[in-house]
Amino acid sequence: IAVERRRQEMRGTQDVRVWFTGERTRIALAARFDASATALVSLPVELPADCIVDSIALFDDGFQAAGTAARGPLETHWQRMGPERGVLTVQRPVAGRFRLDVAAHVPKPPSATGRVPLVRVMFPAAPVVVAWNEPAPASTQDRSWQVRSDERPPLYSLRSTADAEPPAPAAVE
């Protein structure tokens, strides 16, 4: 008899915040992943071709013993694998729960219309909640969208500064 263990798919959640300004588009990704069943080796990341990653950090988000000081980021290596792909490799693979924080920007003024630029980890079981130009405090108008890893980002249409309301999604294909 041969026994083969089925590999469990990593699960997680991803929140992307996008801020359109006159000079650039800022993007922040906050993601949490549960890789308890198998060691986390790498995270495939999708990002806009002209996007610059300002910072990227992966943290062990597991339970810490009482009195333990907060741990810093894990040792990782970031590498751009193509115009719209990158890989974050964990230097010492380990199983557990993780938090990924990415800060990035597109260094040019945004187009008046287009697809919301996303930075996201490409795992089927980790949907992305996208929000853009969220004011603080957030208004009651919903400007967020949930996107699966195999879906295209939502469309946006920026309004002129004379318009009172922030941009809202136009449609999703």
Side-chain angles (χ1 to χ4, degrees):
I1 295 177
V3 177
E4 185 177 319
R5 183 177 171 187
R6 270 188 3 183
R7 184 177 171 190
Q8 280 190 326
E9 198 171 276
M10 188 167 63
R11 298 196 180 280
T13 60
Q14 304 183 68
D15 289 311
V16 177
R17 300 284 183 248
V18 179
W19 296 272
F20 295 105
T21 68
E23 304 83 37
R24 67 177 60 188
T25 303
R26 292 185 308 131
I27 308 165
L29 168 64
R32 292 188 184 273
F33 298 99
D34 184 351
S36 299
T38 184
L40 178 63
V41 176
S42 63
L43 295 170
V45 179
E46 178 185 68
L47 62 165
D50 50 357
C51 182
I52 296 170
V53 175
D54 300 313
S55 66
I56 186 165
L58 182 67
F59 298 88
D60 180 344
D61 207 19
F63 299 107
Q64 297 182 21
T68 304
R71 293 179 252 180
L74 297 174
E75 290 183 41
T76 58
H77 174 71
W78 167 250
Q79 183 176 5
R80 199 77 181 235
M81 302 301 287
E84 296 181 348
R85 299 270 187 230
V87 173
L88 183 67
T89 305
V90 180
Q91 296 300 312
R92 294 183 185 131
V94 63
R97 293 182 182 136
F98 302 93
R99 184 181 88 236
L100 175 67
D101 295 328
V102 180
H105 72 277
V106 177
K108 62 181 182 183
S111 302
T113 61
R115 297 213 172 264
V116 176
L118 298 182
V119 173
R120 59 183 168 174
V121 177
M122 300 306 293
F123 282 121
V128 182
V129 175
V130 183
W132 51 99
N133 282 11
E134 285 288 329
S139 71
T140 57
Q141 183 181 9
D142 185 10
R143 286 178 310 282
S144 64
W145 225 256
Q146 184 165 334
V147 182
R148 292 190 327 258
S149 64
D150 59 346
E151 290 180 319
R152 295 176 70 184
L155 293 170
Y156 72 87
S157 177
L158 297 178
R159 298 182 180 150
S160 70
T161 55
D163 292 338
E165 298 203 16
V172 173
E173 290 180 11

